[in-house]
Amino acid sequence: MSRSARTGTILMATGLAAALLASCGAGEFEQAVLEQAAQQEGPFSLPAQGTPVEQWDRVVIVCPYMYVPEEFDPDFAKAITNTDEFLDDSSQWLIFAQADQPGMLRLPRDTVDFCSDGLSTDPMESGQLWTATAADGRWMLTPVG
């Protein structure tokens, strides 16, 4: 395969991957968080765009190995279909809820990481403020207060 053909193949694969990421909710949510983090204007709330629950009022963030069924809020547990996925170190899971209607979003930890500072699995309100710190090529998000 010629160099130009390889380059074309790589560019096409990159474009397809970007299109897939942009078409799924995680990509839209991740992009909105990245934009807020990059502004560095102080603490911010998590965005609504790209979440599986359009008007969410609470969120639980589940980091790898943190899911303990007997300690988990039952309203959020309804969104969980496969507990084995919580064994993946490369992802974090955000479960958004409006009233008792939850929806789960799997988010890779390579550009945005909520799990660097030991969160609890207690529900947080939509108005929860976050700070973002750039480290190791990604944004580390930490709740304020």
Side-chain angles (χ1 to χ4, degrees):
M1 181 182 272
S2 71
R3 183 180 184 138
S4 63
R6 270 186 284 163
T7 302
T9 302
I10 290 169
L11 289 174
M12 186 175 75
T14 303
L16 287 172
L20 285 172
L21 184 61
S23 69
C24 70
E28 185 180 353
F29 176 77
E30 181 179 44
Q31 186 60 41
V33 171
L34 289 170
E35 288 170 9
Q36 288 181 312
Q39 289 178 2
Q40 292 292 320
E41 294 179 8
F44 58 89
S45 297
L46 296 179
Q49 66 259 42
T51 63
V53 178
E54 190 173 309
Q55 299 288 326
W56 64 276
D57 57 10
R58 297 176 300 148
V59 64
V60 166
I61 298 172
V62 185
C63 298
Y65 305 102
M66 284 183 56
Y67 179 67
V68 179
E70 37 300 326
E71 296 175 10
F72 209 74
D73 186 303
D75 286 343
F76 291 88
K78 292 186 245 180
I80 298 169
T81 57
N82 179 5
T83 58
D84 288 342
E85 64 187 350
F86 297 120
L87 304 178
D88 177 5
D89 287 335
S90 68
S91 295
Q92 58 212 326
W93 298 263
L94 289 82
I95 305 174
F96 297 92
Q98 170 67 28
D100 64 348
Q101 299 302 309
M104 189 161 68
L105 177 76
R106 183 181 190 141
L107 186 65
R109 296 175 62 197
D110 55 351
T111 55
V112 174
D113 191 354
F114 289 92
C115 297
S116 64
D117 200 27
L119 290 175
S120 78
T121 56
D122 293 335
M124 291 178 263
E125 300 296 319
S126 61
Q128 170 68 52
L129 295 177
W130 297 84
T131 59
T133 307
D136 300 324
R138 61 184 161 184
W139 287 99
M140 307 296 196
L141 274 72
T142 307
V144 174

